Amino acid sequence: MNRRGDKDRRDFVNDVLDRTSGSPCRRALELLPDLTDGALASTDRQLVQGHLEHCTGCRAVAMAMSRMGEDLVSLAVLDPGEAFTAAVLARTTARTVAAQERRRAEVASRGPAGLMDRIGRWLQRWIAAPDFAIQAAYVATVLIVALTALPISPFREAPGKMLQAVQASPGGLPVVGQAVTWSTRQVETGAAGLVGRVRSGFDAAWDDASEDWRDRSARSAADRGRLDASLDMAVDEFMDGRPAAAGAKALEAYRSGQAAWSAWWAAEQDSSEAVGP
Amino acid sequence: MRQEQGRVCSIALGYVGDQDEAFDVAQEIFVRVWNRLATCTDLERFGPWLMSIARNACLDHLRRRKARPPRQDVPADEMHDLRSGGPTPEDTWLSTSRQRLVHRALGNLSDINREIILLKDIQGLALEEIAGMLELPLGTVKSRSSRARTELAQAIVDLGGGPDTGQEAVS
């Protein structure tokens, strides 16, 4: 019983020493946050409040702490102004577009879908080309001439009939109807023959072109071989660190190329001369 | 975004200390949020998630700033000539002398104490959330929070925010 009483006394003394020894200001400052929050046990609260009554430095810190809570909360929001939202939207939009481009590139590198995507982009570039309108007008003119102005054109009488219809207007409207009927009949009856003629003509032209191509290839073969060899040697010399020798070989390649070019076109000149007057 | 931008800008300013840089970092934060929005599956956790992205973006910015030379070499005594006449958003933000005082005192704290004050006392995050974000034990965050508040109060007093400024005593 006495032992237990001794232990209680020792614990009490140690507890009091713990709470009161060392720097009283340091101890009070440690406990100030809990005091401000109302979370301090009554013994400690009395000790700290007793210290604050006599210590102006710690009292000033306690006052500052009790007040700063609402000041800190008022710093939680900083308005960046109207331009901020627009700037963020511009950046996220730009990234979205870039991501779409990346995805499109990934698709372009895969399978049939990629092939279709490449074809689509090629057409898009072609249509967007500055001279597309001129090319389209040229093709349209050729088609109109082929359909209406040549001796074998299926609609060669159509312009005359349309002109008659316009000149006879409005009494000549039936002529327009006749022209349309005639054109339709021409298409129905003459399409098969036209297709056959076009196909045979195309085959003959293809054969001629193939033969001509073979002739030209044979004439220029030797020079093209020298061109390839010179180019290979030029690259080798360059890779071996001999730029002067590489330049000489490149010059040889240039001359071989010129010769090959002349041989190629000489074939056409010969054939032109052969069929000339 | 409009709902959160003020908060995000405040966090960025708390970390980087300069208003223009803070707005740049805040933009970067929202771009990151936009890119990673699909990873935020729990809307109730959006706040801490946003805060975590904001913190990482600010720390990345501070690392980059350390690695590069200062952006400007205008002498300090000529800097006041560069300011426009009107109030900046920061001036408007720090509308009272008390707020300016607290803002200055925050600048005198150590990085870790300022960060804990910023997350807990300014942005109102729970200690558990801060512990998770900083990867520290809960007890450590709690003791650091108490120490940070004491340090901030001491800094306010050192800057002249003592009893003569009309504060009320703790009862």
Side-chain angles (χ1 to χ4, degrees), chain B residues 38-140:
Chain B
T39 64
C40 180
T41 51
D42 186 359
L43 273 181
E44 289 181 4
R45 300 278 307 154
F46 179 77
W49 180 78
L50 172 65
M51 208 66 70
S52 177
I53 288 183
R55 176 176 181 265
N56 289 335
C58 291
L59 295 181
D60 288 347
H61 177 81
L62 291 175
R63 272 194 288 271
R64 283 198 299 271
R65 189 167 69 179
K66 259 185 192 172
R68 70 168 186 252
R71 211 166 39 164
Q72 51 207 359
D73 53 4
V74 179
D77 55 350
E78 294 174 13
M79 290 291 284
H80 65 277
D81 294 334
L82 301 177
R83 291 173 63 90
S84 65
T88 65
E90 193 175 0
D91 292 337
T92 311
W93 183 52
L94 302 171
S95 56
T96 69
S97 59
R98 281 293 312 173
Q99 286 172 324
R100 278 192 287 274
L101 182 68
V102 172
H103 187 59
R104 280 176 58 205
L106 275 170
N108 291 342
L109 299 190
S110 64
D111 288 346
I112 181 66
N113 284 351
R114 186 169 56 252
E115 184 168 28
I116 287 181
I117 292 281
L118 177 65
L119 296 175
K120 179 177 175 294
D121 297 287
I122 297 182
Q123 295 301 330
L125 263 67
L127 287 171
E128 291 81 3
E129 289 171 342
I130 298 172
M133 198 181 290
L134 305 185
E135 296 178 347
L136 290 173
L138 181 60
T140 304

Side-chain angles (χ1 to χ4, degrees), chain A residues 75-148:
Chain A
L75 301 179
V77 173
L78 167 61
D79 182 12
E82 286 299 317
F84 181 84
T85 311
V88 173
L89 287 176
R91 287 182 64 177
T92 51
T93 306
R95 287 189 180 219
T96 305
V97 170
Q100 285 173 345
E101 287 293 325
R102 275 199 302 277
R103 275 197 296 276
R104 187 182 290 179
E106 284 172 14
V107 169
S109 62
R110 287 197 302 260
L115 179 65
M116 291 305 293
D117 192 66
R118 281 198 295 276
I119 291 172
R121 278 186 284 122
W122 177 77
L123 281 174
Q124 194 177 17
R125 276 200 303 274
W126 188 57
I127 291 169
D131 52 354
F132 174 72
I134 296 171
Q135 292 169 350
Y138 178 77
V139 170
T141 306
V142 168
L143 274 176
I144 289 169
V145 168
L147 290 172
T148 62

Side-chain angles (χ1 to χ4, degrees), chain A residues 2 18 29 38 40 42 47 66 77 87 99 127-128 138 143 193-194 198 203 233 251 262 266:
Chain A
N2 282 341
D18 279 347
L29 290 175
L40 208 56
S42 76
L47 282 171
S66 70
V77 173
I127 291 169
Y138 178 77
L143 274 176
L194 176 66
V198 168
D203 287 346
M233 283 189 283
L251 188 60
S262 301

Side-chain angles (χ1 to χ4, degrees), chain A residues 2-75:
Chain A
N2 282 341
R3 278 185 183 174
R4 179 161 187 174
D6 289 345
K7 185 177 181 304
D8 287 344
R9 270 198 297 279
R10 271 202 310 276
D11 288 346
F12 175 74
V13 171
N14 288 336
D15 193 32
V16 171
L17 285 174
D18 279 347
R19 290 164 191 264
T20 55
S21 61
S23 163
C25 288
R26 184 182 60 79
R27 181 71 182 153
L29 290 175
E30 279 176 3
L31 296 174
L32 270 185
D34 285 340
L35 178 70
T36 308
D37 295 342
L40 208 56
S42 76
T43 312
D44 285 331
R45 189 173 67 244
Q46 287 170 10
L47 282 171
V48 176
Q49 284 176 337
H51 175 77
L52 292 179
E53 283 176 17
H54 303 289
C55 179
T56 54
C58 289
R59 193 163 62 241
V61 174
M63 288 176 179
M65 191 179 292
S66 70
R67 177 74 186 275
M68 74 186 189
E70 61 189 69
D71 293 327
L72 289 172
V73 170
S74 71
L75 301 179

